Every structure is written in structure tokens, then in C-alpha cells.
Amino acid sequence: MEDRFEKGMKILNITNGEKIEEIFKDFEDIAPDLGRFIVEFPYSEIYTREEVDLKTRELCTVAALTCIGYAGSELKDHIGAALRVGNSPKEIVEIIMQMSAYAGFPAAINGMMIAKEVFKQQDLLPVK
Amino acid sequence: MEDRFEKGMKILNITNGEKIEEIFKDFEDIAPDLGRFIVEFPYSEIYTREEVDLKTRELCTVAALTCIGYAGSELKDHIGAALRVGNSPKEIVEIIMQMSAYAGFPAAINGMMIAKEVFKQQDLLPVK
Amino acid sequence: MEDRFEKGMKILNITNGEKIEEIFKDFEDIAPDLGRFIVEFPYSEIYTREEVDLKTRELCTVAALTCIGYAGSELKDHIGAALRVGNSPKEIVEIIMQMSAYAGFPAAINGMMIAKEVFKQQDLLPVK
Amino acid sequence: MEDRFEKGMKILNITNGEKIEEIFKDFEDIAPDLGRFIVEFPYSEIYTREEVDLKTRELCTVAALTCIGYAGSELKDHIGAALRVGNSPKEIVEIIMQMSAYAGFPAAINGMMIAKEVFKQQDLLPVK
Amino acid sequence: MEDRFEKGMKILNITNGEKIEEIFKDFEDIAPDLGRFIVEFPYSEIYTREEVDLKTRELCTVAALTCIGYAGSELKDHIGAALRVGNSPKEIVEIIMQMSAYAGFPAAINGMMIAKEVFKQQDLLPVK
Amino acid sequence: MEDRFEKGMKILNITNGEKIEEIFKDFEDIAPDLGRFIVEFPYSEIYTREEVDLKTRELCTVAALTCIGYAGSELKDHIGAALRVGNSPKEIVEIIMQMSAYAGFPAAINGMMIAKEVFKQQDLLPVK
């Protein structure tokens, strides 16, 4: 059990850096196990698998969350993670833009505005 | 007609307490019939049926709105209603957590944060 | 190419009036081509087609965005556009209300609250 | 009560013609009240309202169901209804095509293939 | 690890009976770990928790999958499971019907037709 | 105009091979312009951009369509395309599996069953 959690935390340290603690704090007084599930299931069981690297995985998650549409806060976190594991702002912009064809312009526009927020905080604007 | 409306209002008084008036005020100057439809259709026609009790109905609605993802304001109201008709904070937390398997973690996380807001206002944190 | 863009801009001038510039400004430093795609694809290729008039097209878009649920900001813009091309506040209210049957009450309620915001800014309340 | 049901049935006779009986038969041995709700709520309460005509209402429903994506069987029925209340095949095609901008190409393509099925059964192909 | 899997399998034996093997066979030659994740995450980590009983959990899952709309095959399995853990056909029908208010009639109608299929196979029609 | 179409067709020839003709045939007698839009907008305007390669773009589209849930036919085409531009069956399986965390298990399971169908037709099972 311990191992599974630790394996997930190693990935989360790479993808989310110092922000991990926030997730756990958010769930602390209401559903601490939900935090543990996120570490143990997607991060420990999926993101550790070597067939696809973290850079590609996070870009696919950005694509997914852009299409899902209502997950702005999670999309923000994963755009940050996508940058941290080696995606350029340009690559992220391209994939969000591509989603206009599969989920429509509103999803792509909203995703782009969230990317803009992240890039602004990290002083990555304008994207060239 | 009167009867149908009155039957729905009785349920709404149980599930939403003093908050009913807000719904009607919101629609007053734009679409008063939408308020009437909500009373007459789901509350009068569905929630009054005895095959399933209000406690279970509201918990199922919490499950549904967690999955729908974009209905934060309605989820907030129904978490309040779920508490009022006898669900414990723990039961609500469990069902929102369960939705991670069917609608993904973003839906479950967002639902949990809304539950936290409701529980905080009612001094129900931490959930034990 | 020029032509395609110009054709789209003519429609956007009719539907969005002075607000067009905002769209382009939003994308300027992150994804200017996304702005161009919106002008060249939906506005230039679709909204210009004569088989359906702009009044009906914008009302159908209001229906669509109400159902999509997470596109509040785009719905706001298209409610404004729907008014500008000849829909009455009443017609818009009716179509949003109708969506309760196809996407549920939360989608219809959220859409109605966004319409209320637009109507309030334009001094169109109460809707009669 | 009777009145409400009868009012809805009048509209359903216009929009769905001889196909009404099928809906009731489908629900007969499992949930007859669901059939009654559909007659009494959307058809009796909404489609009877005079602010928007049936032709426009059905076209907006086609837009909505195209975007919702998983409601193929209902979309098929409403494309039939849209034709019956005066929309041309061309108008229906235009609105489904327009949805590519709001819900993406997969939704629009699937909607179009369903329209094709309906038009084929009614010998309305090719659409000119 | 073993324990976690075994705990999940015990629940799956209760909810799905002899049908468990099918899930594993489906994934065998493409993604056996996906089968393992389903056992270890929702069944072992969530459905085993005692705060909510299996009867209520499965009913909430029926609500969720009815709203999600595109998950017909999973809804079918969970309607079967809902019956197996003590829900009556009537209770399942009621909750699916209730979803018309939150996800619209198309979702509720499609869910009802899937319930009908399950009930027919188990000789549970007509539902009284 | 010609150029834009030709540019898109070059990409479509790479991603879809001999299957392109089917798309056009499907739309021929109902909405030929929808076929043209697909070539000219996503394929010509987006997939040609060099910041992200086709291999990554198609994998992100597989992620997106898995989450969207109702687009089985389009997902099937894009899994075929993803293979053609250099993704291994294993990589596709991994990304579909990853989506269970963002859109839930039903979306991931349905996506996996569609991948299995494509892999079977191309004699790529079992995936190792």
C-alpha cells in the first residue's frame, strides 16, 4: 500500500511541484481518501507506465479536459503540469486549438483563456 | 392545476426550507413559468411518488448533478436538500466520491468542493 | 483568403456590433489564429449561407449553448447577438425554457440567469 | 388534468403524426407515467406557447439534440417532426451543419447521418 | 496488492454474479490492467466502504449513468447489479424517470429502454 | 480556396489513406459542404501546423473522442489514423486507459472496445 502511494507521489512531485500540498489540504476535513485515490490510481497506476512519456500524457490530458468543458480548475493544474514536464506554451496552445474541431469553439475558447491565465502567471506571454 | 402546484410546494418546503422564495424571485421578471414548471413537474409529479423516499431521491440527484459537471449552483441546493431530508454529510461525501469512477476525478473533485462549501456554512466540518 | 475573412467580419459586425474587437484582443498574445478561424469558419462559411436567416441561426445557437451547459460566456455573447438580429427577449426566453425538456432544468435555469444578465444590461427587464 | 394532457396530444398529433402511439407502447409495461409527463410537460406546457411557432421550436430542438450527441433516436423523431411542421430538408441540414462550430464535427456528422436516414425514408434525397 | 484485488472481487461477485468473467475476457488481449483497475479502484476502494450500502450505491450509479447518456452497456450492467443488491424494478424505474428533470427526457427515455431490456431478460415485465 | 482544400487533402491522405472517399460519399447527397469544411478547417488549417506533429495530434484526438463518449464512429477512424501516423497499439491503449481518470470508466471501457475492433481488423491483437 505504502509503495503504491509513494510511487504516485513521485510523479505528482514532478508534474505538480510544490502545489501538491494544496490538493491534500482541500480534501483534509471532508474526504481525505479522495486525495489518496488520486495519488494511488491515476498517478501511481497510470502515469508511471513507461509506454507513453509524461510529456505526451499531460498533453493528452489537456486535450481531454478542454473537451470536458466544465473542469476549468483541473485544466489549469494540468496546463501547469504540461509545462513542467516539457511541453512548450506553443504546443499546449496548438492542442487546445485543435479541440475546436472535436468539441466546438466554446470549449476551445474557454480552454485557451485558462491557458492564458497560467502563462501570464509564469510570464510566458506572448506565446511565439 | 392549483392542486398540482400545491403538492409540489409541499415537497419543496421539505427539501429547500426557507430558500424556496429565492427560486421564484430569480425568475419573476424573466420567466415566472419556469419556476412553476419546476414545482409542478419534478416536485409535484416525481418527488411525491412513494416508491422511493425523499432521502434516496435527493442522494441520487446529488450523484446526477456531480456527473453533469456544469450545474454547480443546482448541486449546492440539492446537497442542502439532501441534508434536510436525512442524509448525513458522510453519505453525501461517499456518493460524490463514487462518481469519480463514472464521470472522472474532475467531476468528483468539483462536487466535493461544493459539498465543502455547504457543510462549512452549516458548521458540519470536519466530516467524520 | 482575404475575401473569406472579410465575409465573416461582415456577419460579425451585424451579430456582435462593437464587441468584435474584444475577441481578437483576447487571443492576440496567445492564439491569434483561433480568432481568425472563428471569423473564417462559422461566420464566413456558415452564417453567410442564405437557406436560414441570421435570426433563426442565432436562436438555434442559443438553444445549443444552453444545452452544452459549460459555455456561459459564449451563451452571453450569442444572446446579445440573437437580440441584435431581431429576436425578442420573449423568444429567447421561450427557447431557453424549452431546453429544460432536452437537457434538464439545471441547463435551462443557468441559461435563463445568463439571459437575465444580458437583458438587465440592456434595460430589457421585465420581459413581457 | 385531462385538459393538460389533451392540449399536449394535439401538438403531438401535429409534430409526430401517426407515430405517437409508439411512444406510449414503449412505456406501457414499464413506466406509463413517463409517456404522460412528455405529453403534459414539454408538449402541453411549452410547445403550445405562442411566442415561438412550432417550426422554429422544432428546429431549435434539432440543434439541441445534435449537440447532446447521445440522443440519436430522439433526434430522428424530431427531424421528422421538424419536417412535418414546415422546415425544409435544407433548413435542417443547415442547422445541423452549424452545430459543428458549437459541439464539434463528430456531433454534426452524427446528426447529419441521422438526418440522411430520415430523408431517405421519406424520399427526400438528394437535398438541393 | 492481492488483498485489494480480492476485496474488489468479493463485491463484484455480489453485484455482477456470474457476469464478472466477461469483463476480464473483453480486456484480456488488449488491456488486462483496465480490468484490474476496475476491480481495485471502484469495487475495492469505494463499494466496500460501509457508510453507504450497496443497494443505495448501485441506485446512485444508475442515476449517474442515465445522465451520462452514452454509457448504455455500463448502464445495462448496473441495472442488473442494482436488482441483484435489492432494488426493485419499480425503484429503478423511479430513479431513471427522475433523471428527466436533471438531464432531460432523451437521457431518461434511453435509460428506460435499457431498463426494459434488462427486465425483459429477467422476466420482470410488466413493472407494477 | 483550391489551395486550402488541397493542403487538407494531403494530410487526410496521410491520416486516413484510402478511406477518405467514404467521408465524401456519405455527405454527397445531403451536405457536401460539410465534407469540404472538414478538409479545409481541421485538416488544412490545424493538422498542417508544424508546432505539433501528426503522431501527437492524432493521439490527443483519440484522448478527446474517448472522453466525448458518443463519437464511436469518429473515434474508430482516428484510432486508425493514429496507427497510420506512427502510434503503436500500446500507446493508443495507454491513452484510452488514462482517460478513465478524467471521464470515468464507462468512457474508457467504450473507447477500449472500439480500439479492439480496429486492432482486430488490422490483425494487431493481442497488444503486447
Side-chain angles (χ1 to χ4, degrees), chain B residues 50-64 67 95 98-99 102, chain E residues 15 47 52-67 74-75 77-99 115 119:
Chain B
E50 291 178 1
E51 287 86 353
V52 177
D53 60 28
L54 281 177
K55 180 177 181 293
T56 307
R57 286 199 187 274
E58 285 290 357
L59 205 58
C60 287
T61 297
V62 167
C67 291
I95 290 305
Q98 182 176 323
M99 293 305 113
Y102 304 108
Chain E
T15 57
Y47 280 81
V52 177
D53 59 28
L54 282 177
K55 179 176 182 293
T56 308
R57 287 199 186 273
E58 285 290 357
L59 205 59
C60 287
T61 297
V62 167
L65 294 175
T66 299
C67 291
E74 291 78 13
L75 179 55
D77 287 349
H78 280 282
I79 289 170
L83 288 169
R84 233 173 262 113
V85 297
N87 290 284
S88 69
K90 198 88 194 178
E91 286 169 310
I92 292 165
V93 161
E94 283 294 319
I95 290 305
I96 292 174
M97 201 151 73
Q98 183 176 323
M99 293 306 112
F119 295 168

Side-chain angles (χ1 to χ4, degrees), chain F residues 24-45:
Chain F
F24 291 101
K25 250 182 231 155
D26 274 351
F27 296 143
E28 212 168 59
D29 53 358
I30 185 162
D33 285 340
L34 185 54
R36 179 171 63 81
F37 293 162
I38 293 168
V39 178
E40 288 185 5
F41 174 48
Y43 287 101
S44 178
E45 290 281 16

Side-chain angles (χ1 to χ4, degrees), chain B residues 87-101:
Chain B
N87 291 283
S88 69
K90 197 87 194 179
E91 286 170 311
I92 292 165
V93 161
E94 283 294 319
I95 290 305
I96 292 174
M97 202 152 72
Q98 182 176 323
M99 293 305 113
S100 63

Side-chain angles (χ1 to χ4, degrees), chain A residues 41-43 45-47 49-52 56-61 63-65 67-68 70 78 90-92 94-95 97-103 105, chain F residues 41-43 45-47 49-52 56-61 63-65 67-68 70 78 90-92 94-95 97-103 105:
Chain A
F41 175 48
Y43 287 100
E45 290 281 16
I46 295 180
Y47 281 80
R49 298 162 73 93
E50 292 179 0
E51 286 86 353
V52 177
T56 307
R57 286 198 186 275
E58 284 291 357
L59 204 59
C60 287
T61 297
L65 295 175
C67 291
I68 286 171
Y70 57 72
H78 280 282
K90 197 87 194 179
E91 286 170 311
I92 292 165
E94 284 294 318
I95 290 305
M97 202 150 74
Q98 182 175 323
M99 293 306 113
S100 64
Y102 304 107
F105 284 105
Chain F
F41 174 48
Y43 287 101
E45 290 281 16
I46 296 180
Y47 280 81
R49 298 162 72 91
E50 291 178 359
E51 286 87 354
V52 177
T56 307
R57 286 200 186 272
E58 284 291 356
L59 204 59
C60 287
T61 297
L65 294 176
C67 290
I68 286 171
Y70 56 72
H78 280 281
K90 197 87 194 179
E91 286 170 311
I92 292 166
E94 283 294 317
I95 289 305
M97 201 152 72
Q98 182 175 323
M99 294 305 113
S100 64
Y102 303 107
F105 284 105

Side-chain angles (χ1 to χ4, degrees), chain D residues 20-114:
Chain D
I20 315 172
E21 300 307 315
E22 284 176 40
I23 304 176
F24 291 101
K25 249 182 230 154
D26 274 352
F27 297 144
E28 212 169 58
D29 53 358
I30 185 162
D33 286 340
L34 184 55
R36 181 172 62 83
F37 294 162
I38 293 168
V39 178
E40 288 184 5
F41 175 48
Y43 287 99
S44 179
E45 290 281 15
I46 295 181
Y47 280 80
T48 51
R49 298 161 73 90
E50 293 178 359
E51 287 86 353
V52 177
D53 59 28
L54 282 177
K55 179 176 182 294
T56 307
R57 286 199 187 274
E58 285 290 357
L59 204 59
C60 287
T61 296
V62 167
L65 295 176
T66 299
C67 291
I68 286 171
Y70 56 72
S73 152
E74 289 79 13
L75 179 55
K76 202 176 162 183
D77 287 348
H78 280 281
I79 289 171
L83 288 168
R84 232 173 263 113
V85 296
N87 290 283
S88 69
K90 197 87 194 179
E91 286 169 311
I92 292 165
V93 161
E94 283 294 317
I95 289 306
I96 292 174
M97 202 152 72
Q98 182 176 322
M99 293 306 113
S100 63
Y102 304 107
F105 284 105
I109 294 172
N110 294 354
M112 201 64 83
M113 290 304 100
I114 289 166

